[in-house]
Amino acid sequence: MDKNLYAGHIATLRNRYDAILEECGYDTLNVFSGAPKVQFLDDNHYPFKANPQFKALVPVTDNPHSWVIYRRGQKPRLLFYRPVDFWHYVPPAPDTFWSDHYDIELLGKPADAKAFLGGDSSLEKTAFIGEAQGLDGWPIGTPNPEALIARLHWARAYKTPYEMACLREANRIAVGAHRAAEDAFRNGASEFEINMAYLGAAGQGENRMPYGNIVALNSHAAILHYTHLSSERLPATELKSFLIDAGADCHGYASDITRSYAYRDGDYAALVRAMDEIQQGLVAQLQVGLAYPDLHRDCHLRVAEILQRFGVIATSPESAVESGLSRTFLPHGLGHFLGLQVHDVGGHQTAPEGGTTPPPAEYPFLRTTRTIEAGQVFTIEPGLYFIDSLLAELKDSPLAKEVNWDKVDAFRPYGGVRIEDNVIVHPDRVENMTRDCYAE
C-alpha cells in the first residue's frame, strides 16, 4: 500500500478525531481491539474479529489484546500484543507502511496495557470504545459514549483516498475469486467445492472473509443468506442456476459482490441478463443529493417491469409497486454503506449528533436512508426471487389473481437472481469498482 496515501488518511483521521473529542468533552480515547471468546463448555476460542473502531484507526485486524491510545493533538500510541507463546502464532512487531505514524509499545501480557491507559488525562476526560468484559478496575474511561460513537459513525461514511484504494483492492481480489467460482460451477462442482475454489483464488480463509460466503445452486438461491454449502455434486442434467455473494478483505476493508449465472440458455438466462441491465441502470442513477430511499423505490419499479415482461405478473409495474406485489419478489433493500464493515455504520443516522431516520414502512429492510454525498461507498444489489414462504402468503392474498402462477412455478427451481456491485460516489461521477475489475 502507498505510504503517501496512508499519510494523508491518518492526517484526515487525526483532524477528525481531534474535533470530535473536543466536541464531546474528551481529551483521550482508548480503543480496544478486543479479546478472544471461549466457546461454551470448551477450551477453544471463536474466530477473533477486531473491534471495527480499532480497525478504523490502525490496519491491524487479527491481533487481540491490543489498544490505540489517542490523545488530542498528539501522535497516537499503539499497544501491540506480542506475548511469548509457543502454542500460537505471534505476529512480528509492526514495521510497514503505516507504523511510523504510531508510537508503538509491545505488550507481553494483556494486563501490561494498564500502565499506559491512565496517562496525563483524568478519567472524566477519557473515553473508551470496545467490549469492556474482563477490564473491571482498569482505567479505561467512560465506556462507549453514545454522542462520541455517533459522530465517529457519521464520519465513517466519507472515505479517504487510502480507504478507496483498499476497497478497490478488495474488489480486485474478490472478482478474481468470483471468476474461479464460476469456472467451478461450469465444471459441475458442489457448493462446498465452489466455495473452496473461491477461497483458494482469493488467498483468504473463511475467518478472514468479511462475511460468510453465499454459494447457492438452483432453488437455494431463494434463501437470501444461504451458507449451508452442500457437498453434493449435482448431475449436469439437474444444474440450473448459481448465485454467489462473496467478498474479500484488504487491510480490514470489505468488498461485497454478487453474481448469478444460468447453466444453460433459456428464460432464466434472459432473466439474469435483464437484471444485470437494470442493476447498471440503477448505478448510473446515483448522484450527489439523491435520497437513497428514492433509488430503492425506482428499483422496485424496474423489477416490476421485468416481472411484467417475463409474464410473472399481469398488472402494470406501477400497480405492482403501489400494491406491494413487487415486495414478494424483492424483499430486501437495494444496498448499503460499505467499508470497514460489510453493512457499514450510519446508514439510518440522521445527523452527526445521532438520531435515526427509519426506512419507509413498506421497505423495512432498507439499510440506508441517508442522502447520497460525495465520498460515500455503496453496494447496489437489486434482486428478484421466488421464495416459497413469501409466495405462499401471496397466493392466499387478494393480489394472487395478478400473478401467473404457471410462470412462478417454472422459475421456482432457479431460486432467483441478484447482481451486486460496489461503487464510489465522486462529486461528478460514479466509480463502479466491481465492473472496473471485471474489465481488467
Side-chain angles (χ1 to χ4, degrees), residues 325-397:
L325 175 61
S326 64
R327 297 202 297 272
T328 293
F329 301 92
L330 173 53
H332 63 70
L334 173 61
H336 48 80
F337 280 145
L338 180 69
L340 288 162
Q341 293 167 266
V342 178
H343 302 136
D344 217 2
V345 292
H348 292 158
Q349 197 166 329
T350 305
E353 298 78 18
T356 299
T357 301
E362 64 271 30
Y363 304 122
F365 302 113
L366 182 59
R367 297 182 185 273
T368 306
T369 54
R370 297 266 288 269
T371 297
I372 296 167
E373 298 180 67
Q376 294 178 340
V377 177
F378 296 96
T379 67
I380 300 294
E381 50 180 307
L384 194 166
Y385 312 91
F386 300 90
I387 301 170
D388 286 341
S389 60
L390 298 182
L391 291 169
E393 292 178 13
L394 178 61
K395 204 161 192 176
D396 287 338
S397 78

Side-chain angles (χ1 to χ4, degrees), residues 95-280:
D95 182 17
T96 186
F97 66 91
W98 55 265
S99 48
D100 287 345
H101 297 277
Y102 285 82
D103 289 329
I104 298 174
E105 304 283 349
L106 302 180
L107 303 179
K109 299 176 182 178
D112 292 347
K114 285 193 283 188
F116 298 96
L117 294 176
D120 300 328
S121 300
S122 67
L123 286 182
E124 290 76 16
K125 291 285 188 178
T126 299
F128 165 84
I129 296 179
E131 293 184 277
Q133 186 176 357
L135 303 179
D136 294 343
W138 288 40
I140 59 175
T142 303
N144 303 310
E146 289 186 14
L148 175 66
I149 289 179
R151 285 168 169 82
L152 292 174
H153 282 182
W154 181 269
R156 284 250 301 273
Y158 309 99
K159 304 299 191 286
T160 67
Y162 161 79
E163 292 177 296
M164 293 178 188
C166 291
L167 290 162
R168 292 185 191 104
E169 179 64 9
N171 268 262
R172 186 195 65 77
I173 296 167
V175 164
H178 271 265
R179 286 179 168 139
E182 182 188 1
D183 288 345
F185 162 63
R186 301 290 180 197
N187 289 320
S190 69
E191 292 169 344
F192 179 83
E193 291 168 329
I194 293 170
N195 189 55
M196 294 303 291
Y198 185 95
L199 296 174
Q204 299 183 5
E206 288 183 335
N207 291 341
R208 189 174 171 190
M209 284 287 118
Y211 57 96
N213 292 346
I214 298 168
V215 178
L217 295 176
N218 295 355
S219 61
H220 291 162
I223 302 170
L224 298 184
H225 286 169
Y226 175 82
T227 57
H228 179 68
L229 298 176
S230 170
S231 60
E232 178 187 4
R233 277 194 168 206
L234 300 177
T237 54
E238 294 182 21
L239 282 171
K240 298 178 182 299
S241 63
F242 170 42
L243 183 152
I244 177 168
D245 184 336
D249 168 88
C250 177
H251 298 304
Y253 290 84
S255 56
D256 179 5
I257 300 169
T258 307
R259 288 294 184 268
S260 296
Y261 304 98
Y263 190 73
R264 57 184 61 85
D265 206 12
D267 284 348
Y268 177 76
L271 186 67
V272 172
R273 290 191 292 270
M275 287 295 293
D276 188 70
E277 289 175 5
I278 75 161
Q279 194 270 351
Q280 292 186 68

